[in-house]
CSV table of all heavy atoms in Angstrom, one decimal:
chain,number,residue,atom,x,y,z
B,85,GLY,N,-6.1,-1.1,-7.2
B,85,GLY,CA,-5.7,-0.3,-8.4
B,85,GLY,C,-6.6,1.0,-8.5
B,85,GLY,O,-6.0,2.1,-9.0
B,86,SER,N,-7.8,1.0,-8.1
B,86,SER,CA,-8.6,2.1,-8.2
B,86,SER,C,-8.1,3.2,-7.3
B,86,SER,O,-8.2,4.4,-7.6
B,86,SER,CB,-10.1,1.8,-7.8
B,86,SER,OG,-10.5,0.9,-8.6
B,87,ALA,N,-7.5,2.8,-6.2
B,87,ALA,CA,-6.8,3.8,-5.3
B,87,ALA,C,-5.6,4.5,-6.0
B,87,ALA,O,-5.5,5.7,-5.9
B,87,ALA,CB,-6.5,3.1,-3.9
B,88,GLY,N,-4.9,3.7,-6.7
B,88,GLY,CA,-3.8,4.2,-7.4
B,88,GLY,C,-4.4,5.2,-8.6
B,88,GLY,O,-3.7,6.2,-8.8
B,89,MET,N,-5.4,4.7,-9.2
B,89,MET,CA,-6.0,5.6,-10.2
B,89,MET,C,-6.5,7.0,-9.7
B,89,MET,O,-6.1,8.0,-10.2
B,89,MET,CB,-7.2,5.0,-10.9
B,89,MET,CG,-6.9,3.8,-11.7
B,89,MET,SD,-8.2,2.7,-12.2
B,89,MET,CE,-9.0,3.7,-13.6
B,90,GLU,N,-7.0,6.9,-8.5
B,90,GLU,CA,-7.6,8.1,-7.8
B,90,GLU,C,-6.3,9.0,-7.3
B,90,GLU,O,-6.4,10.2,-7.5
B,90,GLU,CB,-8.5,7.8,-6.6
B,90,GLU,CG,-9.0,9.2,-6.0
B,90,GLU,CD,-10.0,8.8,-4.9
B,90,GLU,OE1,-10.1,7.8,-4.4
B,90,GLU,OE2,-10.7,9.9,-4.6
B,91,ALA,N,-5.3,8.3,-6.8
B,91,ALA,CA,-4.1,9.1,-6.4
B,91,ALA,C,-3.6,9.9,-7.6
B,91,ALA,O,-3.3,11.1,-7.3
B,91,ALA,CB,-3.0,8.2,-5.8
B,92,ALA,N,-3.6,9.2,-8.7
B,92,ALA,CA,-2.9,9.8,-9.9
B,92,ALA,C,-3.7,11.2,-10.3
B,92,ALA,O,-3.3,12.3,-10.5
B,92,ALA,CB,-2.9,9.0,-11.1
B,93,VAL,N,-5.1,11.0,-10.3
B,93,VAL,CA,-5.8,12.1,-10.8
B,93,VAL,C,-6.1,13.1,-9.7
B,93,VAL,O,-6.1,14.4,-9.9
B,93,VAL,CB,-7.2,11.6,-11.3
B,93,VAL,CG1,-8.3,12.7,-11.6
B,93,VAL,CG2,-7.1,10.7,-12.5
B,94,GLY,N,-6.4,12.6,-8.4
B,94,GLY,CA,-6.7,13.5,-7.3
B,94,GLY,C,-5.6,14.4,-6.9
B,94,GLY,O,-5.9,15.5,-6.3
B,95,CYS,N,-4.3,13.9,-7.2
B,95,CYS,CA,-3.2,14.8,-6.8
B,95,CYS,C,-2.8,15.8,-7.9
B,95,CYS,O,-2.1,16.7,-7.6
B,95,CYS,CB,-2.0,13.9,-6.5
B,95,CYS,SG,-2.2,13.0,-4.8
B,96,THR,N,-3.2,15.6,-9.1
B,96,THR,CA,-2.7,16.4,-10.1
B,96,THR,C,-3.7,17.4,-10.6
B,96,THR,O,-3.4,18.3,-11.4
B,96,THR,CB,-2.1,15.7,-11.3
B,96,THR,OG1,-3.1,14.8,-11.7
B,96,THR,CG2,-1.0,14.9,-10.8
B,97,VAL,N,-5.1,17.1,-10.5
B,97,VAL,CA,-6.1,17.7,-11.2
B,97,VAL,C,-7.0,18.5,-10.3
B,97,VAL,O,-7.5,18.0,-9.3
B,97,VAL,CB,-7.0,16.8,-12.1
B,97,VAL,CG1,-8.3,17.5,-12.6
B,97,VAL,CG2,-6.3,15.9,-13.1
B,98,GLY,N,-7.0,19.9,-10.5
B,98,GLY,CA,-7.8,20.8,-9.7
B,98,GLY,C,-9.2,21.0,-10.4
B,98,GLY,O,-9.3,20.6,-11.5
B,99,LYS,N,-10.0,21.7,-9.6
B,99,LYS,CA,-11.5,21.8,-10.1
B,99,LYS,C,-11.7,22.5,-11.4
B,99,LYS,O,-12.6,22.3,-12.1
B,99,LYS,CB,-12.4,22.4,-9.0
B,99,LYS,CG,-12.3,23.7,-8.6
B,99,LYS,CD,-13.1,24.0,-7.5
B,99,LYS,CE,-13.2,25.4,-6.9
B,99,LYS,NZ,-12.2,26.4,-7.5
B,100,ASP,N,-10.7,23.4,-11.8
B,100,ASP,CA,-10.8,24.2,-13.0
B,100,ASP,C,-10.0,23.5,-14.1
B,100,ASP,O,-9.9,23.9,-15.3
B,100,ASP,CB,-10.4,25.6,-12.9
B,100,ASP,CG,-11.4,26.2,-11.9
B,100,ASP,OD1,-12.6,26.0,-11.9
B,100,ASP,OD2,-10.9,27.0,-11.2
B,101,ASP,N,-9.3,22.3,-13.8
B,101,ASP,CA,-8.5,21.7,-14.9
B,101,ASP,C,-9.3,20.7,-15.7
B,101,ASP,O,-10.3,20.1,-15.3
B,101,ASP,CB,-7.5,20.9,-14.2
B,101,ASP,CG,-6.4,21.8,-13.5
B,101,ASP,OD1,-6.1,22.9,-14.0
B,101,ASP,OD2,-5.8,21.4,-12.4
B,102,VAL,N,-9.0,20.8,-17.0
B,102,VAL,CA,-9.6,19.8,-18.0
B,102,VAL,C,-8.8,18.5,-18.0
B,102,VAL,O,-7.7,18.6,-18.2
B,102,VAL,CB,-9.8,20.5,-19.5
B,102,VAL,CG1,-10.5,19.5,-20.4
B,102,VAL,CG2,-10.8,21.7,-19.2
Side-chain angles (χ1 to χ4, degrees):
Chain B
S86 298
M89 291 168 78
E90 182 175 15
V93 172
C95 289
T96 56
V97 173
K99 66 179 180 3
D100 297 322
D101 293 326
V102 173

